[in-house]
Amino acid sequence: MDNVIYAAVYFAVTLGAFLIGKYVCPNIPKTVTDKLGELSEWAAKFVEWAKEFKKDKTGEEKMAAVVEQLKKIADEAGLNVTEDQLKAIAQTAYNAMKAGEKESTAEPLEALTATPAATVVINTTAPVTTTEKVAIATDNVPEGATETNADGTVNLYDAAGNITGSVTKEEAEKMAAEVTKIVDEEGNTLADLK
């Protein structure tokens, strides 16, 4: 009889712990920092939204629209946030957006249309027994590799990143168009363009 009572109590405690873990603990409020972080993410999205879709409004009207949207999100999440706090969060998101725009517009327009500096394709010919043209993708980008020279030519680089010569921009584009295979620095095939 004692075993039955012990098993029933053990079952009840286990069931109670499960129910608390399943339904009570997930509803415990997050820390204030987490909540403000989530609001900051929403603020960045709403600032972009206001910039794109409220072009005809003044800055003050855009700020009011962003704060209104943030208030809705805060209310849905059960956050008790004042309007001044929401304005501060929105202003921080706006400042971050403007800082990003300054960084992106600081580059000349040519650099925006050039090959990204994270990857350079170095054209080399495969062994003589084949007509395959292989390009090696690398993250080891020499300084100025994506820039056109003053005379309109483009530098050629070997696998070590040393300048081996130069060709016209048209020749470089033709060489890139003739590539039949792209490999990484270890020789793994990334793309077969045959």
Side-chain angles (χ1 to χ4, degrees), residues 171-187:
E171 287 178 273
E173 290 172 354
K174 181 182 175 194
M175 289 170 61
E178 293 175 352
V179 169
T180 57
K181 187 176 187 180
I182 300 174
V183 298
D184 62 13
E185 293 171 321
E186 288 81 35

Side-chain angles (χ1 to χ4, degrees), residues 31-53:
T31 66
V32 173
T33 306
D34 291 341
K35 291 177 183 179
L36 291 178
E38 288 177 15
L39 273 180
S40 295
E41 291 173 17
W42 278 106
K45 293 174 185 174
F46 286 133
V47 166
E48 285 290 330
W49 164 79
K51 177 186 168 203
E52 291 298 319
F53 297 105

Side-chain angles (χ1 to χ4, degrees), residues 117-133:
T119 303
V120 170
V121 175
I122 301 172
N123 294 314
T124 60
T125 3
V128 179
T129 58
T130 178
T131 59
E132 190 173 53
K133 299 264 183 165

Side-chain angles (χ1 to χ4, degrees), residues 133 156 194:
K133 299 264 183 165
L156 297 175
K194 292 180 187 175

